[in-house]
Amino acid sequence: MPDYVVRVRPNDKDAKMKYQECNKIVKQKAFERAIASDEIKKSVVDSLDIENMTIEDDYVGPKLEDGNVTVKFMEEMMEWFKDQKKLHRKCAYQTEKITICGDTHGQFYDLLNIFKLNGLPSESNPYLFNGDFVDRGSFSVEVILTLFGFKLLYPNDFHLLRGNHETDNMNQMYGFEGEVKAKYTAQMFQLFSEVFQWLPLAQCINNKVLIMHGGLFSEDGITLDDLRKIERNRQPPDSGPMCDLLWSDPQPQSGRSISKRGVSCQFGPDVTERFLEQNKLDYIVRSHEVKAEGYEVTHSGKCVTVFSAPNYCDQMGNKGAYIHLRGADLKPEFHQFTAVPHPNVKPMAYANTLMQLGMM
């Protein structure tokens, strides 16, 4: 080692020069390690451009189907590996997507159309439905039984969040209670009511995106831990974080204002920014509002609304939409669709009589 040579031969200029050079390199490396620990380390995923990777014409191995892993793909991949062949790098890098759907509001035939367009739920095609499955549309029983069936079939890959219409008072007014009683029994409605109370209020994906039906809160300082502590097995209160998650709406101006709905609040882009910064999130996805294009991006891209009931109540003329989240950055990809025909049963057919009059 240079320092040993210097000690043994203190008058050797060559040894002393090599020692000084070596010492300089060691200090430089130590300095680089020190400053590296203070920097945010980027994931290797950030440097990948998977979308623009091309699969060459001469590659005849297994390929993902629309970016999804399927049973067929897995079988072909295992056979491919048995022959000691290499999977194409695009397939090796590519990650699954999750599909986020907004309000479906008892529009069963439009729900079937979503599955036709985007594929049935499966372990390789996960979904999240963001509340308001029932009420208004007159096929709410069919919608909720279909959604519950997929939840039972794929408990880890099919997710349901509670909306403001998964509550007793809304179901009494807007048709679901009347529909269940007409098609089944009052006891069946009570069972649905109990199940709705256990639905999650929000879901966080990859510590980047928070999804809830309504929106953010009437006060600052709410954390993800606060949300985890909410006692959800109940009818929602008239105020507080649980109410806000189900009822609040974004507004273009800063600050907060009284909600046009008479419940919870409207929150501005500054509120969104502070919440995301405190909880180290990238953006929120919410539903709760009909949008002409089926979706809307506000608050400088930090607040995304998705609504999946096209031609809402057979009269709004809006498109529906769902969102794909995929990759390291979970950048939302929007997919629009239009309404499909349904049997001649009008929306609100089972609603409270006063609400039916309001629909005329």
Side-chain angles (χ1 to χ4, degrees):
M1 293 174 66
D3 60 335
Y4 175 77
V5 175
V6 168
R7 287 199 304 272
V8 173
R9 302 173 64 179
N11 297 322
D12 189 326
K13 291 183 180 180
D14 185 62
K16 183 178 278 190
M17 188 175 68
K18 284 186 168 57
Y19 171 73
Q20 289 172 343
E21 288 178 1
C22 185
N23 195 39
K24 188 187 293 185
I25 292 170
V26 169
K27 287 182 177 178
Q28 178 67 24
K29 292 293 183 184
F31 176 73
E32 289 172 356
R33 284 197 301 272
I35 62 172
S37 62
D38 293 331
E39 295 175 352
I40 298 173
K41 294 182 178 177
K42 286 191 173 182
S43 167
V44 67
V45 176
D46 296 331
S47 66
L48 298 176
D49 186 8
I50 297 170
E51 290 299 319
N52 290 322
M53 287 183 185
T54 56
I55 296 180
E56 296 77 12
D57 292 339
D58 60 353
Y59 176 76
V60 294
K63 297 176 185 177
L64 296 172
E65 298 178 18
D66 295 325
N68 295 321
V69 175
T70 62
V71 173
K72 180 173 177 284
F73 171 82
M74 292 301 297
E75 290 172 345
E76 290 178 354
M77 185 181 72
M78 289 185 290
E79 287 299 317
W80 194 250
F81 286 162
K82 273 172 65 177
D83 294 336
Q84 299 183 41
K85 295 177 181 177
K86 188 173 70 173
L87 184 68
H88 194 278
R89 69 187 186 286
K90 182 167 184 174
C91 300
Y93 278 132
Q94 203 156 2
T95 56
E96 277 189 356
K97 71 175 187 293
I98 184 169
T99 300
I100 312 296
C101 297
D103 305 39
T104 47
H105 273 304
Q107 296 185 199
F108 176 65
Y109 295 88
D110 293 309
L111 174 65
L112 293 183
N113 191 39
I114 291 173
F115 292 150
K116 178 181 178 181
L117 295 170
N118 192 59
L120 287 173
S122 69
E123 292 171 348
S124 62
N125 192 25
Y127 279 82
L128 187 154
F129 281 82
N130 195 22
D132 281 15
F133 322 121
V134 300
D135 282 339
R136 298 194 187 274
S138 295
F139 305 94
S140 293
V141 166
E142 290 79 5
V143 167
I144 195 62
L145 289 177
T146 299
L147 296 179
F148 280 177
F150 278 120
K151 180 62 180 174
L152 291 170
L153 185 59
Y154 302 113
N156 299 318
D157 303 287
F158 192 85
H159 308 281
L160 301 172
L161 300 184
R162 191 176 187 180
N164 64 304
H165 277 266
E166 279 68 58
T167 55
D168 285 356
N169 58 351
M170 301 301 281
N171 295 161
Q172 288 159 8
M173 288 190 287
Y174 291 100
F176 184 57
E177 181 179 12
E179 183 182 341
V180 175
K181 288 180 177 178
K183 294 178 179 179
Y184 292 100
T185 62
Q187 184 185 47
M188 176 75 85
F189 174 73
Q190 288 302 316
L191 183 59
F192 277 121
S193 174
E194 288 183 24
V195 175
F196 287 165
Q197 294 187 165
W198 284 108
L199 290 173
L201 300 171
Q203 187 144 344
C204 190
I205 298 182
N206 289 2
N207 298 314
K208 287 176 179 266
V209 181
L210 186 67
I211 303 170
M212 76 289 281
H213 179 73
L216 296 180
F217 308 98
S218 302
E219 58 181 1
D220 285 346
I222 302 295
T223 66
L224 297 185
D225 279 339
D226 293 328
L227 304 187
R228 294 184 184 101
K229 293 172 185 174
I230 293 174
E231 173 52 58
R232 69 183 191 230
N233 182 25
R234 56 177 170 158
Q235 295 301 308
D238 294 332
S239 62
M242 181 177 181
C243 174
D244 294 332
L245 284 168
L246 300 176
W247 279 97
S248 71
D249 295 295
Q251 64 181 20
Q253 67 272 27
S254 292
R256 294 180 175 89
S257 61
I258 296 171
S259 174
K260 58 185 179 290
R261 301 175 189 270
V263 182
S264 186
C265 70
Q266 296 179 181
F267 59 95
D270 56 328
V271 175
T272 300
E273 189 66 39
R274 288 195 298 272
F275 174 80
L276 295 174
E277 185 176 340
Q278 179 179 7
N279 290 282
K280 297 180 173 59
L281 297 167
D282 290 350
Y283 63 95
I284 65 169
V285 175
R286 41 91 60 183
S287 299
H288 195 41
E289 290 180 289
V290 59
K291 297 296 178 184
E293 296 300 313
Y295 71 94
E296 185 178 60
V297 181
T298 56
H299 295 183
S300 301
K302 304 291 187 180
C303 179
V304 175
T305 299
V306 59
F307 192 85
S308 303
N311 194 25
Y312 183 43
C313 293
D314 285 359
Q315 62 184 18
M316 297 299 290
N318 61 290
K319 295 176 183 175
Y322 51 85
I323 303 173
H324 287 161
L325 302 185
R326 72 169 93 227
D329 60 358
L330 295 179
K331 183 180 178 181
E333 302 169 2
F334 301 100
H335 300 266
Q336 299 168 295
F337 57 98
T338 55
V340 296
H342 63 74
N344 188 25
V345 183
K346 293 181 180 180
M348 305 282 282
Y350 301 95
N352 180 293
T353 307
L354 291 175
M355 299 307 299
Q356 287 178 330
L357 290 174
M359 286 294 292
M360 294 176 65

